[in-house]
Amino acid sequence: MVTRWFSRIGLALLCLLATPFVSADAPIAADQAASPGSVAQIALDGPIGPAAAEYFDDASDRAQADGALAIVLRLDTPGGLSDSMRQIISSMLASRIPVLVYVAPAGARAASAGTYILYAGQIAAMAPATHLGAATPVKLGRRTPMPALPGADDHPAGAGSSALDRPDQADDDAESHKVVNDAIAYIRSLAQLRGRNAQWAEQAVRGAATLTATEAAQQHVIDFVATDVTDLLARADGRTVQVGGRNVTLRIKGATVRDYPPGARTRFLAIITNPTIAYLLLLGGIFGLLLEALHPGAMLPGIVGAICLLVGLYALQLLPVNYAGLALMALGVGMLVGEAVQPTVGALGVGGVVSFVTGSVMLMNTGVPGYAVNLGVIAGIAVCAAALLGLILWLVFRSRRARQFTGDEAMLMDTGALLEPVSADGESWMMLHGERWRVRCTSALPAGAPVRVVRRQGLLLWVEPV
């Protein structure tokens, strides 16, 4: 009986002790259940290149590690490199959380490579006054023709797309067909994976078709038009998407948006892979090493030049470089150096300037959106090189007409005064150019008489009266 009472009293005390902990934890659990979580926002602005691909890989990994519910990929790009685009899409397809691709802000575009990325997202949305399309691949180093769609002559171009013309069959080679057909298959596979308009996707590749945001929503190229990120999350909330082979229902309305800016390495890569910056680094490296070679021991030009050259070469191997243009630039620099070391009255110099400018224009493939050296920079450097060449030639011609200041020719016909008297066919001394010389004269002259040098015989000068 006593044991039973003790058991009841112990059970009651245990319940009383546990009650505060339960009541304290219950509101926290309720708040956690009601919390919408956070959504990661990654912004890709500008050309799609190695820096952009590395930035997206790093930011998406950090977002998944932080437990983000989804990724909002805000896109504004004119296009870029195919390899970098495919790297971004591979990361999107391998992501463990949904990726919402959003073309924003107003006035932004998802052209060329951006169209493929937009098709790869689980949710595709655009802000008002934006557009997408023109996804025809450009082959590096030459123009890629746009093959006509089958039956394009029988059907007018759709809304928002340009009319398709048949290109010259001479340009329509097998290699171009392979590149275009591979791009078509790639974007169609993305369209089929996300249940979007595959026919228009093919038009965007074959005929560089484009659409505005409203037209894209009407033709089921995107899911909807959203005014901002908050509207995007609200419209996407409740939709079921496929993530890694499983269906996921989005619960992101009202979620906190957390920005994932690029890191220091990504920002550095973005700077040096800018074609104009890479071009200037290359030039700085070349001329720094040349200055060190012409002035050995200066150290600073050689150190700075070597660093700039290595960084520039690293950037060039990440960019669509035309190696014929690079070779022409090297040839031009070599010719300019040859003109400075061994003047050829402008032959090497003019050839060097022409070769350098031609190589600079050819260096980057201008057909790839966002990847071309600024022509103003090239023009400025070309003008400076031409001005330097002109200055060198002017100095050369001027030196040919100038009076000699050293050697026998500078001494001939020069004048001075005798330091001592001299007899006929005798010898004396005179000062010439600050030096004391032994002289011989055919005439007798007193000390201080002015004489002119007529010839030199070893260390003896022959003079005559002035």
Side-chain angles (χ1 to χ4, degrees), residues 55-82:
Y55 164 47
F56 180 80
D57 287 348
D58 177 66
S60 61
D61 288 343
R62 286 189 286 131
Q64 295 176 60
D66 292 344
L69 300 176
I71 295 174
V72 174
L73 177 56
R74 187 170 58 78
L75 196 61
D76 181 12
T77 176
L81 304 181
S82 174

Side-chain angles (χ1 to χ4, degrees), residues 138-152:
V138 177
K139 185 177 181 297
L140 297 185
R142 57 185 295 184
R143 175 180 172 271
T144 300
M146 296 185 298
L149 283 167

Side-chain angles (χ1 to χ4, degrees), residues 16 66 107 208 239 257 259 261 266 272 326 344 431 443 447:
L16 288 173
D66 292 344
R239 291 175 179 255
V257 178
D259 288 322
T266 303
I272 66 171
L326 190 62
T344 59
M431 291 296 294
S443 304

Side-chain angles (χ1 to χ4, degrees), residues 182-316:
D182 177 70
I184 290 172
Y186 189 56
I187 199 169
R188 284 183 65 89
S189 67
L190 296 174
Q192 293 167 4
L193 176 66
R194 303 305 184 201
R196 298 200 175 97
N197 190 334
Q199 183 178 1
W200 184 87
E202 184 173 346
Q203 292 180 1
V205 176
R206 286 192 184 275
T210 58
L211 290 175
T212 64
T214 304
E215 293 166 346
Q218 292 172 351
Q219 297 195 28
H220 197 50
V221 173
I222 62 173
D223 296 295
F224 50 80
V225 177
T227 55
D228 53 27
V229 175
T230 302
D231 188 28
L232 168 71
L233 300 181
R235 288 176 176 270
D237 189 70
R239 291 175 179 255
T240 300
V241 296
Q242 190 176 39
V243 180
R246 58 190 176 88
N247 292 329
V248 175
T249 301
L250 298 176
R251 300 297 180 193
I252 53 177
K253 184 177 181 179
T256 303
V257 178
R258 179 181 176 185
D259 288 322
Y260 282 77
R265 171 183 164 83
T266 303
R267 289 195 295 270
F268 174 71
L269 283 178
I271 292 172
I272 66 171
T273 53
N274 181 296
T276 302
I277 299 298
Y279 174 75
L280 293 176
L281 284 172
L282 188 64
L283 291 187
I286 292 173
F287 286 106
L289 293 179
L290 287 176
L291 283 176
E292 182 66 30
L294 295 174
H295 303 280
M299 300 299 291
L300 183 61
I303 294 172
V304 175
I307 294 174
C308 289
L309 184 62
L310 290 176
V311 174
L313 291 175
Y314 172 75
L316 288 182

Side-chain angles (χ1 to χ4, degrees), residues 287 290-291 294 332-333 335-337 339-341 346 349-350 353 380-396:
F287 286 106
L290 287 176
L291 283 176
L294 295 174
V333 171
M335 287 184 176
L336 289 173
V337 172
E339 180 68 39
V341 174
V350 173
V353 171
I381 293 175
V383 169
C384 291
L388 180 61
L389 175 63
L391 177 62
I392 292 174
L393 292 178
W394 178 74
L395 292 174
V396 168

Side-chain angles (χ1 to χ4, degrees), residues 61-106:
D61 288 343
R62 286 189 286 131
Q64 295 176 60
D66 292 344
L69 300 176
I71 295 174
V72 174
L73 177 56
R74 187 170 58 78
L75 196 61
D76 181 12
T77 176
L81 304 181
S82 174
D83 290 343
S84 300
M85 172 200 74
R86 289 175 181 262
Q87 182 180 340
I88 292 173
I89 293 176
S90 297
S91 298
M92 293 171 61
L93 298 180
S95 175
R96 301 188 303 273
I97 57 178
V99 179
L100 290 68
V101 183
Y102 182 42
V103 183

